[in-house]
DNA sequence: CAAAACAATTTTAAGCTTGAAATTTCTCGG
DNA sequence: CCGAGAAATTTCAAGCTTAAAATTGTTTTG
């Protein structure tokens, strides 16, 4: 453990630690990635479970409605796809179902008939607001063991990670 | 922004901040969750993409083989399912395909014929090792923007989050 | 203006994932 | 030993997800 790049707490483990690493030793990064993945998996499955139990809904549907909530005039399909970081074909299916169930309506832009615009119906908005309130409570409870300060540190470190990942993606593009 | 529970860096934002929050204001937690989810989604989709491109494989298959790698005598299906945090039925499908392709072999425990034991074949192990080496490089590159210290901090904060989540799950069980 | 290029979306084929129901096999109390 | 119940796994139905190909519509250019 002592030879990991990202060793935990003890600050007295100095820079020499690095020199002890075998070339290509990526254990620290792997452990960090695994922990990150575990955290988000735990939270995500709990949210999915509760959305299903309390609202007979799913996370993708919730996410789609969340994107639409702050766009009273609707949003173009492609824009939704980008924001949700999922494939366009995926959006097609989700929108189909949510339109059938009366949560969304879709319009073809008159000036460019390739473009589909979707928006929440009043019913969809009301349903979403119920779910969003409960969702916020669930997250709050799941994160309750973190103090404000700890949460702030986590926010900052995740921001750095995000930058690191985006930089790597750009490098390898 | 200043009223968020998990405000970022400025340490001079004192405890009074909390008093300003409306009851049921969970914005800070939500933003933290969103950022966590963004990070893991970004990393995860990149890993999926590369596994597909370089090895024509998938993340679930890789994860399954990873579980098996340190169990030379094989592992019981149920144990794999628990460790991977996925449903038992899911494992059935994955194992079917990986057995067909020669990466795994499965045995029924003679003393309890309900129990299936799976293990990597030599071929499967060789394939996994190739993938694991590349996987480690990818992660290392994606995380390269974090210093050892920052990585350590992130590890620690994620450990706290994990404890918080597990505690919440236990409370609501 | 026609053809090519481009853009937005949908379709398709394949695989992953889940919860619930079903199946098979064991275990244990009587 | 027998039957109830528990345990391990599989099956099933439904939904999510993706990449790639196809479709439809618009724009640019020779």
């Amino acid at each position: 453990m002592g030879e990991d790049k990202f060793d935990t707490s003890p600050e007295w483990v100095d820079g020499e630690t690095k020199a002890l690493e075998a070339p290509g030793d990526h254990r620290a990064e792997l452990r960090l990635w695994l922990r990150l993945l575990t955290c988000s998996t735990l939270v995500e499955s709990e949210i999915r479970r509760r959305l299903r139990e309390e609202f007979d809904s799913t996370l993708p549907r919730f996410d789609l409605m969340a994107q639409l909530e702050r766009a009273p005039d609707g949003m173009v399909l492609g824009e939704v796809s980008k924001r949700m970081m999922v494939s366009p074909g995926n959006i097609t299916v989700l929108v189909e179902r949510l339109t059938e169930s009366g949560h969304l309506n879709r319009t073809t832009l008159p000036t460019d008939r390739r473009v589909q615009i979707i928006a929440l119906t009043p019913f969809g908005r009301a349903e979403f607001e119920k779910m969003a309130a409960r969702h916020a409570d669930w997250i709050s409870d799941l994160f309750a063991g973190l103090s404000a300060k700890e949460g702030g540190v986590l926010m900052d470190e995740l921001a750095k990670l995000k930058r690191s990942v985006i930089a790597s993606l750009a490098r390898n593009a």
Side-chain angles (χ1 to χ4, degrees), chain A:
Chain A
M1 293 233 280
E3 72 275 15
D4 279 0
K5 180 184 173 194
F6 298 152
D7 214 331
T8 72
S9 313
E11 324 247 20
W12 44 263
V13 174
D14 62 75
E16 283 192 303
T17 305
K18 253 186 140 166
L20 295 174
E21 285 177 9
D25 181 357
H26 303 314
R27 268 171 290 185
E29 288 92 340
L30 286 172
R31 294 204 311 145
L32 181 50
W33 164 233
L34 203 58
R35 185 165 294 177
L36 179 67
L37 188 56
T38 300
C39 285
S40 67
T41 302
L42 282 174
V43 174
E44 206 176 315
S45 8
E46 182 64 5
I47 298 299
R48 285 181 196 275
R49 197 179 65 70
R50 295 193 183 188
L51 280 174
R52 180 172 34 72
E53 285 192 356
E54 288 194 25
F55 298 101
D56 192 30
S57 189
T58 67
L59 191 49
R61 288 177 200 192
F62 178 78
D63 287 343
L64 178 43
M65 290 194 278
Q67 292 298 331
L68 258 34
E69 193 212 9
R70 301 273 171 146
D73 297 335
M75 200 180 277
V76 174
L77 285 197
E79 178 64 17
V80 178
S81 159
K82 265 176 225 147
R83 291 208 195 185
M84 291 179 67
M85 302 198 284
V86 302
S87 66
N90 196 340
I91 300 294
T92 297
V93 181
L94 286 172
V95 168
E96 246 165 43
R97 298 191 203 281
L98 282 170
T99 302
E100 267 174 41
S101 60
H103 293 80
L104 261 52
N105 65 31
R106 70 193 304 165
T107 331
T108 300
L109 191 69
T111 58
D112 184 340
R113 289 181 328 222
R114 289 170 305 181
V115 177
Q116 301 287 318
I117 293 171
I118 55 178
L120 284 175
T121 61
F123 169 69
R125 180 172 298 273
E127 290 290 299
F128 175 72
E129 272 161 15
K130 279 186 241 167
M131 289 197 279
R134 297 290 293 133
H135 177 264
D137 289 341
W138 302 333
I139 296 295
S140 177
D141 193 63
L142 288 163
F143 284 59
L146 287 189
S147 71
K149 184 172 180 185
E150 288 165 343
V153 173
L154 192 45
M155 274 294 270
D156 292 342
E157 296 304 319
L158 286 174
K160 291 174 196 163
L161 174 58
K162 187 173 162 185
R163 278 196 294 276
S164 170
V165 170
I166 289 175
S168 166
L169 295 178
R171 273 199 301 281
N172 296 294

